[in-house]
Amino acid sequence: MTILPLILALPLVGALIVSLLPSEDHDDVRGASMVATVVTFIVSLVLWSRFDASEPGFQFAWSMDWIPLIHSRFSLAIDGLSLLLIVLTTFLLPLTILGSWSAVTTRVKEFHVCLLLLEASMLAVLCVRDVLVFYVFWEAMLVPMFLLIGIWGSEDRLKATIKFFLYTAAGSLMMLAAIVYVYNVAGSFDMEAMATAASGLSTREQTWLALAFGLAFAIKVPLFPFHTWLPHAHVQAPAAGSVQLAAVMLKMGGYGFLRLALPFFPEGIRELALPVCCMAATGVIYGSLMALAQSDLKRLIAYSSVAHLALVVLGLFSLNEIGFTGAVYQMLAHGLSTGALFLMVGMLYERRHTRDIAEYGGL
């Protein structure tokens, strides 16, 4: 087995092993989950060490037939962008398990299975080179996060879970329709073939297709005014869910723009650049002002995320190399800093059972 299938298989094998352990053996469940995530992180470091940054294009390519009838293959390959986000994801999972070691005391086995399945689906999104497989795992990410918020969240978790699911699923359905449209032109779900076919469409077609793809990615980022699900989801989610949601899942929106929307529909993106930049600039200001007004620690970090990720979109839609580079740098920096902040909030809440900033004077 080559290294990319291995990196995807490790969390799945970990989830299978954890699911077979007795539910009452909490320490064994936590220990097995920790081993699975640490081994995955080590393999990602091996991937990093073997990656040749001087070589352009994709590396570690691997593929197998999936649905030959519609020319869809389970194909994997990564470039520098994928690599950075893979290492970020695998680095944060062991820390998330450590951070929830004593905080989660109910349905411990199910909680860790959800975390491992979430890791596997996020890593798959970052590796796949087939747009249909990308969509499958894009949707698969929702299920474990839905469960993490809905089962282990706070008192108003049901409302937050439904809002999160409806927003993200609605955007994804628009993207699915656009994928089918481009597939009918390209005759293949291969990303390179679809990009070639899509870039040859008329400007009007590209603009509508870019809107369909962009809506799914804008909701995931989330870009103003599609952000309203995020603060509620963060406040209700357990600390582990907030870490994964803010530090990794939100980056999938920026990754989607870079991997699919921008290379597929260059003319359409140019048509949309100005209004999207206006929305992003509004999001930076709005998110910052809302963060200043919060009395809840989690809401403060959630609104600051709205501002930070709006800055990422602003960089992407500047449509130049410096903007792209800055956006990727900001995604990684935000993943590390926000992941750390939510872990600290989880630690403080476990000790004081409040997120009210006024209760932490002199901290």
Side-chain angles (χ1 to χ4, degrees):
M1 181 180 284
T2 57
I3 195 164
L4 289 182
L6 177 63
I7 245 179
L8 300 188
L10 284 169
L12 293 174
V13 172
L16 178 62
I17 292 171
V18 169
S19 67
L20 296 174
L21 293 173
S23 298
E24 62 275 9
D25 292 344
H26 293 176
D27 286 341
D28 289 347
V29 165
R30 295 182 181 112
S33 303
M34 177 61 73
V35 169
T37 54
V38 168
V39 171
T40 308
F41 175 56
I42 291 169
V43 174
S44 75
L45 293 180
V46 173
L47 187 69
W48 179 293
S49 68
R50 293 183 181 178
F51 186 82
D52 187 354
S54 64
E55 287 291 325
F58 289 84
Q59 300 178 30
F60 306 105
W62 179 90
S63 68
M64 61 176 283
D65 282 334
W66 188 43
I67 313 177
L69 185 64
I70 57 173
H71 308 289
S72 179
R73 293 179 61 80
F74 194 92
S75 55
L76 308 174
I78 62 165
D79 60 1
L81 172 63
S82 302
L83 176 67
L84 292 169
L85 292 174
I86 286 169
V87 174
L88 174 68
T89 304
T90 59
F91 171 70
L92 287 171
L93 255 295
L95 297 180
T96 303
I97 290 172
L98 273 179
S100 58
W101 198 275
S102 57
V104 175
T105 55
T106 59
R107 299 188 179 184
V108 176
K109 180 168 78 171
E110 292 84 350
F111 175 82
H112 288 86
V113 168
C114 282
L115 277 181
L116 290 165
L117 293 176
L118 180 63
E119 180 180 28
S121 56
M122 291 189 298
L123 291 173
V125 167
L126 297 170
C127 293
V128 296
R129 295 290 299 155
D130 182 284
V131 179
L132 183 61
V133 181
F134 175 92
Y135 180 81
V136 168
F137 284 105
W138 178 269
E139 291 294 276
M141 285 191 300
L142 297 182
V143 178
M145 183 56 71
F146 180 91
L147 295 173
L148 285 170
I149 300 172
I151 297 174
W152 294 277
S154 302
E155 60 280 351
D156 199 20
R157 59 187 179 272
L158 186 60
K159 182 180 177 182
T161 306
I162 293 171
K163 193 173 184 180
F164 160 73
F165 190 85
L166 288 178
Y167 264 71
T168 49
S172 298
L173 287 174
M174 296 292 290
M175 180 169 67
L176 178 60
I179 289 171
V180 172
Y181 187 96
V182 179
Y183 167 75
N184 285 330
V185 178
S188 170
F189 285 106
D190 178 71
M191 281 189 186
E192 191 172 344
M194 289 187 80
T196 303
S199 59
L201 295 171
S202 68
T203 300
R204 184 169 178 272
E205 286 176 301
Q206 285 194 35
T207 303
W208 282 107
L209 291 167
L211 271 172
F213 272 80
L215 181 62
F217 302 145
I219 289 171
K220 190 77 83 178
V221 166
L223 180 64
F224 177 91
F226 308 110
H227 67 284
T228 56
W229 64 268
L230 179 66
H232 202 187
H234 270 314
V235 169
Q236 299 304 318
S242 291
V243 172
Q244 292 308 306
L245 184 60
V248 184
M249 276 193 75
L250 301 189
K251 308 304 175 296
M252 296 302 175
Y255 177 79
F257 276 121
L258 274 169
R259 179 65 71 228
L260 298 181
L262 272 70
F264 278 32
F265 316 111
E267 297 303 320
I269 291 293
R270 286 191 184 93
E271 293 292 315
L272 298 173
L274 182 58
V276 172
C277 283
C278 291
M279 292 163 65
T282 304
V284 172
I285 298 166
Y286 170 84
S288 302
L289 292 176
M290 287 297 289
L292 289 171
Q294 299 309 309
S295 59
D296 183 292
L297 270 172
K298 270 195 170 184
R299 279 191 181 273
L300 185 152
I301 303 169
Y303 277 109
S304 73
S305 293
V306 171
H308 289 151
L309 291 161
L311 196 60
V312 168
V313 176
L314 197 58
L316 294 176
F317 278 80
S318 65
L319 304 181
N320 61 65
E321 186 179 350
I322 294 174
F324 295 156
T325 305
V328 174
Y329 187 93
Q330 174 75 346
M331 283 196 289
L332 295 169
H334 177 266
L336 291 171
S337 61
T338 307
L341 285 169
F342 276 120
L343 283 171
M344 286 192 284
V345 170
M347 177 196 74
L348 293 171
Y349 184 79
E350 195 177 339
R351 286 156 176 75
R352 295 281 287 108
H353 300 290
T354 180
R355 293 188 301 266
D356 189 351
I357 296 170
E359 295 293 319
Y360 289 103
L363 177 65

